C-alpha cells in the first residue's frame, strides 16, 4: 500500500466515524482520537540520509528533531545559548570558554560532556565551509572538565558564535564522541543517538517515503519559551511523521482534507486558494526564509573549468522567466534581487550586480563561441520529484539549449542526483556538469557559509572552485570584527563571485509553508520546527 492510499484510507475512516458521533461521550472520544493522531509533515523531498554532516536540507529537518545545538538563532536572527549555559571570552579575544547546561543527556542515557562537543565540532568542522574556517583559525580545542571546553584561536576570528549557531546546512549538531570521533566526516554515521527533543523510530523508517518520531524522555528543554530555533524545545506532539508526496495536487488535497497537517512548501498553484481557506494558515516568514534559485556547475570538469563557459551560463539566467515558472503570486517574487546573500539579509549587496542584471541569450552565445565550445556533451541533472526545483530547472534547461549547449538531460529524483552531485567523476564515468538547485537565505546569508563565496578553496565537492582574490578577501572578512566593514568586504567578495561566475543565481521568491489551523504553537521560522507544536484542545 502506498503512503497516499494509506492516508486516503485514514481520511475515509475518519469521515465515516465522524458521522456516527451523535452523542456527547462519542464526541469526546472522537476529540481524544484526533488529538492522538500523529502530526504529519510533508517534506519537499524524501529523507534518504540521516547524517547532518553529510546530508542536504531534508536531513537538516530530520536533525533538528533528534539533535540539539550549542548555540541557536532566535526569531530576530540573534544567537542565544542553547545546550550551553553561556560563554566567556579572554581579553585578547583568542580564548573562548564554553559551559554546558547541567543535566544534559543523550537519548541512550549517557551524559552530554565537553568531550562530545569537541568531537562533534571537529567532525563538522572538517566538512562545513564555515566550520573549516573556524578550525583553520583554531590553535586548540580541548575539554577542561565534563561541562567545560575551550576554543583557543591562533588568530582573530569574528564569527565564532555564528559558526556554532549556524542554522542550516551544515549545522553543528552535537552527538556522542564515541560516534563523532570514530566516523570520518565523509562517512555516514551508523547509529543515531540524539541530543534533541525527539527520538527517531529507525525500525519504521522507509527511506525516501516515511520517518516517525516520538518525544525523547531524556531531553531537558531550556526553561524559557521557544523562540525560533532557540529556547525551550518541548515535544508536545505524541508522534510526528515525515511523509513524502511528489505530486503537488495530492499534497494540496491532503492538507485541505486534513490527511496531513503541515506542508514544508505550499504547492505554488494553490497558494492563493490556501489563503482563502480558514482551515489553513500560510507562513509569513520572509527575508532569510525566502528561496534562491541557482545552478551548480562542476568546476573540476570541462567545459565549466573555463570561466567563459561559466559566464555564458550566468548570462542565460533570466530571473523573471525562471521565477515565473514557480507560479507563485507576484507579491512573493523578487525578480530584481541580484545579491548572492539573499535580499532581506544583513549582507545583501548591489556590488557587482551590473555584471548579471541584464541577462541575454545573445551575449551567452557570444561567450560560448569565445570559449571555443564545440558541442561537447554536457550532463544536466534534472530533479523531477522536487516541486520547487523541477519547474525552474526546466526553464534553465531550455535557455541553455537555446544558447547553444548540447545538454544530456538526465531526469531522476533529487536524492539520486544529490549522491552524484558530491562526487567528482568525468561524464563518461557517471559524473555531472550542471544541476539546478534552490536554497534558503539561511544557507547563504553569512559569507563564510555562502555556497558561492565561503566554500572557496575548501576542496569540498560540489563547491570545488578556488580563486586567490576571493581567498584574500575571505581572510580579511574572517579577522574583521566591525559589522559595517565586514559588509563592505562582503560586497567585494560578491563582485568576485559574479566575475568568476562561481554560482549563477536565478532569482528569489517566497514559497511559504502551510499548516492546519488546528495546530497550536507553530513556530514560523522559515523551515519546519516541530517542537512546541500540538493540536487544539490537547
Amino acid at each position: 500500500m502506498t503512503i497516499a492510499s494509506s492516508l486516503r484510507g485514514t481520511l475515509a475512516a475518519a469521515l465515516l466515524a465522524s458521522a456516527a458521533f451523535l452523542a456527547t461521550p462519542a464526541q469526546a472520544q472522537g476529540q481524544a482520537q484526533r488529538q492522538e493522531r500523529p502530526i504529519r509533515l510533508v517534506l519537499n523531498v524524501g529523507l534518504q540520509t540521516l547524517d547532518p554532516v553529510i546530508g542536504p536540507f531534508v536531513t537538516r529537518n530530520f536533525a533538528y528533531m533528534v539533535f540539539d545545538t550549542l548555540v541557536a538563532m532566535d526569531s530576530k536572527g540573534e544567537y542565544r545559548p542553547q545546550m550551553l549555559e553561556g560563554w566567556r571570552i579572554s581579553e585578547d579575544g583568542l580564548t573562548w570558554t564554553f559551559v554546558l547546561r547541567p543535566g544534559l543527556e543523550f537519548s541512550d542515557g549517557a551524559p552530554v560532556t565537553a568531550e562530545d562537543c569537541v568531537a562533534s565540532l571537529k567532525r563538522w568542522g572538517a566538512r562545513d565551509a564555515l566550520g573549516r574556517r573556524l578550525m583553520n583559525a583554531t590553535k586548540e580545542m580541548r575539554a577542561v572538565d565534563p561541562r567545560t571546553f575551550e576554543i583557543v584561536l591562533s588568530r582573530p576570528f569574528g564569527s565564532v558564535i555564528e559558526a556554532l549557531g549556524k542554522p542550516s546546512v551544515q549545522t553543528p549538531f552535537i552527538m556522542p564522541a564515541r560516534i563523532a570521533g570514530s566516523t570520518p566526516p565523509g562517512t555516514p554515521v551508523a547509529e543515531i543517538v540524539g541530543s534533541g527533543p525527539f527520538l527517531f523510530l529507525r525500525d519504521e523508517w522507509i527511506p525516501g517515503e516515511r520517518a516517525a518520531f516520538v518525544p525523547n524522555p531524556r531531553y531537558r528543554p531550556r526553561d524559557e519559551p521557544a523562540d525560533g530555533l532557540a529556547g525551550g524545545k518541548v515535544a508536545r506532539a505524541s508522534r510526528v511523521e515525515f511523509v513524502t508526496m511528489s505530486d503537488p495536487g495530492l499534497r494540496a488535497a491532503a492538507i485541505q482534507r486534513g490527511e496531513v497537517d503541515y506542508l514544508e512548501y505550499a504547492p505554488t498553484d494553490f497558494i492563493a486558494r490556501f489563503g482563502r481557506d480558514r482551515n489553513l494558515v500560510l507562513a509569513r516568514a520572509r527575508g532569510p526564509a525566502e528561496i534562491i534559485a541557482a545552478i551548480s556547475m562542476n568546476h573540476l570538469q570541462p567545459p565549466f573549468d573555463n570561466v567563459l563557459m561559466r559566464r555564458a551560463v550566468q548570462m542565460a539566467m533570466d530571473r523573471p522567466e525562471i521565477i515565473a515558472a514557480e507560479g507563485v503570486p507576484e507579491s512573493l517574487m523578487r525578480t530584481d534581487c541580484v545579491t548572492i546573500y539573499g535580499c532581506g539579509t544583513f549582507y545583501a549587496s548591489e556590488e557587482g550586480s551590473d555584471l548579471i542584471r541584464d541577462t541575454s541569450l545573445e551575449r551567452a552565445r557570444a561567450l560560448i563561441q569565445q570559449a571555443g565550445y564545440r558541442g561537447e556533451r554536457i550532463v544536466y541533472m534534472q530533479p523531477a520529484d522536487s516541486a520547487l526545483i523541477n519547474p525552474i530547472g526546466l526553464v534553465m534547461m531550455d535557455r541553455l539549449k537555446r544558447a547553444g549547449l548540447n545538454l544530456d538531460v538526465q531526469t531522476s529524483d533529487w536524492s539520486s542526483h544529490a549522491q552524484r552531485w558530491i562526487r567528482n567523476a568525468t561524464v563518461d564515468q557517471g559524473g555531472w556538469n550542471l544541476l539546478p538547485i534552490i536554497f534558503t537565505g539561511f544557507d547563504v546569508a553569512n559569507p563564510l557559509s555562502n555556497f558561492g563565496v565561503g566554500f572557496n578553496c575548501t576542496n569540498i565537492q560540489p563547491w570545488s572552485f578556488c580563486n586567490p582574490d576571493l581567498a584574500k578577501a575571505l581572510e580579511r572578512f574572517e579577522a574583521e570584527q566591525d559589522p559595517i566593514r565586514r559588509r563592505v568586504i562582503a560586497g567585494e567578495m560578491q563582485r568576485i563571485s559574479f566575475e568568476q561566475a562561481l554560482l549563477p543565481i536565478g532569482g528569489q521568491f517566497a514559497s511559504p509553508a502551510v499548516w492546519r489551523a488546528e495546530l497550536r504553537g507553530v513556530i514560523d521560522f522559515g523551515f519546519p520546527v516541530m517542537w512546541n507544536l500540538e493540536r487544539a484542545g490537547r
Side-chain angles (χ1 to χ4, degrees):
M1 179 181 292
T2 65
I3 291 175
S5 62
S6 175
L7 290 175
R8 283 194 291 268
T10 301
L11 173 63
L15 291 174
L16 289 172
S18 65
F21 291 159
L22 302 178
T24 301
Q27 289 175 339
Q29 179 183 4
Q31 183 181 32
Q33 290 174 344
R34 286 195 297 274
Q35 290 171 359
E36 291 306 314
R37 281 193 294 115
I39 291 178
R40 291 192 174 104
L41 163 67
V42 179
L43 298 172
N44 186 45
V45 294
L47 177 65
Q48 298 274 10
T49 305
L50 304 180
D51 190 338
V53 169
I54 295 175
F57 306 107
V58 63
T59 306
R60 171 206 63 194
N61 298 338
F62 162 82
Y64 270 110
M65 298 288 286
V66 299
F67 297 106
D68 208 353
T69 58
L70 297 172
V71 178
M73 178 184 285
D74 66 17
S75 58
K76 297 178 181 178
E78 298 175 356
Y79 294 91
R80 291 165 38 179
Q82 186 61 26
M83 295 178 76
L84 292 175
E85 188 174 77
W87 59 80
R88 58 183 182 271
I89 312 168
S90 62
E91 290 187 8
D92 62 6
L94 296 180
T95 301
W96 294 66
T97 304
F98 301 92
V99 181
L100 286 165
R101 290 192 287 129
L104 299 182
E105 290 182 302
F106 286 110
S107 56
D108 64 356
V112 177
T113 69
E115 293 284 359
D116 300 310
C117 299
V118 170
S120 297
L121 291 178
K122 285 182 176 179
R123 182 171 185 266
W124 161 78
R127 181 83 179 175
D128 179 73
L130 179 52
R132 183 171 292 195
R133 295 188 183 282
L134 173 60
M135 295 302 114
N136 289 342
T138 296
K139 178 181 178 181
E140 184 181 13
M141 188 184 304
R142 61 180 179 235
V144 176
D145 60 43
R147 288 181 51 210
T148 308
F149 70 96
E150 289 183 342
I151 296 178
V152 181
L153 301 175
S154 59
R155 53 184 168 83
F157 187 82
S159 300
V160 173
I161 298 303
E162 290 89 337
L164 300 190
K166 186 183 177 190
S168 195
V169 177
Q170 263 63 46
T171 300
F173 294 103
I174 302 303
M175 58 183 67
R178 65 178 178 82
I179 297 174
S182 62
T183 310
T187 301
V189 294
E191 183 182 4
I192 300 299
V193 178
S195 52
F198 287 91
L199 295 174
F200 173 51
L201 303 180
R202 189 158 192 160
D203 290 345
E204 298 186 25
W205 179 40
I206 304 175
E209 286 195 42
R210 182 194 297 268
F213 309 83
V214 295
N216 176 7
R218 299 185 183 279
Y219 180 71
R220 178 171 293 188
R222 295 187 69 88
D223 292 333
E224 64 263 27
D227 183 3
L229 302 176
K233 299 180 179 181
V234 179
R236 302 189 188 280
S238 60
R239 180 181 170 97
V240 176
E241 293 178 357
F242 288 3
V243 297
T244 305
M245 297 179 181
S246 59
D247 183 83
L250 180 58
R251 295 184 190 185
I255 195 163
Q256 288 176 301
R257 296 169 181 170
E259 293 175 329
V260 300
D261 304 282
Y262 194 129
L263 304 185
E264 182 180 11
Y265 294 114
T268 55
D269 290 342
F270 294 86
I271 290 176
R273 185 184 306 177
F274 287 171
R276 297 189 297 269
D277 190 331
R278 61 186 178 86
N279 294 313
L280 301 177
V281 178
L282 283 168
R284 294 176 173 269
R286 294 293 184 267
E290 293 179 15
I291 294 172
I292 300 159
I295 188 162
S296 177
M297 297 179 286
N298 191 339
H299 292 241
L300 297 179
Q301 300 293 338
F304 299 113
D305 55 348
N306 184 332
V307 67
L308 295 175
M309 288 294 290
R310 298 198 302 271
R311 288 173 181 167
V313 171
Q314 184 167 262
M315 191 50 57
M317 294 295 105
D318 185 294
R319 290 175 297 283
E321 184 177 346
I322 291 169
I323 298 307
E326 291 290 354
V328 298
E330 288 189 12
S331 60
L332 300 182
M333 298 182 186
R334 293 207 202 211
T335 55
D336 60 342
C337 183
V338 286
T339 176
I340 201 168
Y341 304 119
C343 291
T345 66
F346 179 77
Y347 291 108
S349 173
E350 291 280 314
E351 186 67 28
S353 62
D354 55 296
L355 299 171
I356 69 166
R357 189 176 296 280
D358 298 319
T359 58
S360 162
L361 285 181
E362 183 179 350
R363 290 161 67 188
R365 294 186 190 107
L367 286 164
I368 290 171
Q369 184 177 7
Q370 186 181 353
Y373 174 68
R374 296 292 182 266
E376 294 87 352
R377 180 169 69 104
I378 294 173
V379 172
Y380 184 100
M381 299 194 298
Q382 173 69 1
D385 68 326
S386 171
L388 290 177
I389 301 178
N390 187 53
I392 64 171
L394 292 173
V395 175
M396 291 177 178
M397 177 200 313
D398 175 66
R399 290 189 62 81
L400 292 172
K401 285 182 176 180
R402 288 159 58 195
L405 298 187
N406 175 24
L407 298 187
D408 175 8
V409 178
Q410 299 184 7
T411 301
S412 185
D413 60 276
W414 166 258
S415 296
S416 298
H417 284 325
Q419 293 175 22
R420 292 176 63 187
W421 190 35
I422 61 174
R423 296 197 299 264
N424 179 37
T426 65
V427 294
D428 293 332
Q429 297 175 329
W432 64 281
N433 296 118
L434 296 170
L435 174 68
I437 59 173
I438 58 171
F439 38 78
T440 68
F442 293 113
D443 303 300
V444 294
N446 187 324
L448 296 183
S449 57
N450 183 285
F451 301 127
V453 172
F455 280 76
N456 187 63
C457 299
T458 59
N459 196 32
I460 298 175
Q461 184 72 332
W463 319 111
S464 49
F465 49 85
C466 186
N467 180 272
D469 293 333
L470 184 54
K472 293 176 183 176
L474 281 163
E475 288 178 2
R476 289 191 288 122
F477 184 91
E478 286 180 6
E480 184 57 65
Q481 302 287 333
D482 181 74
I484 303 304
R485 287 197 289 268
R486 295 183 105 202
R487 182 180 276 172
V488 172
I489 300 171
E492 295 175 14
M493 294 190 291
Q494 175 171 282
R495 174 171 285 278
I496 295 171
S497 183
F498 289 160
E499 288 174 345
Q500 296 297 313
L502 300 179
L503 181 64
I505 57 176
Q508 182 169 325
F509 64 99
S511 182
V514 61
W515 55 84
R516 299 285 302 177
E518 67 196 60
L519 296 186
R520 295 291 182 266
V522 179
I523 298 173
D524 186 2
F525 185 74
F527 54 80
V529 173
M530 305 308 288
W531 56 84
N532 204 49
L533 193 60
E534 61 185 339
R535 297 186 190 281
R538 185 178 173 85

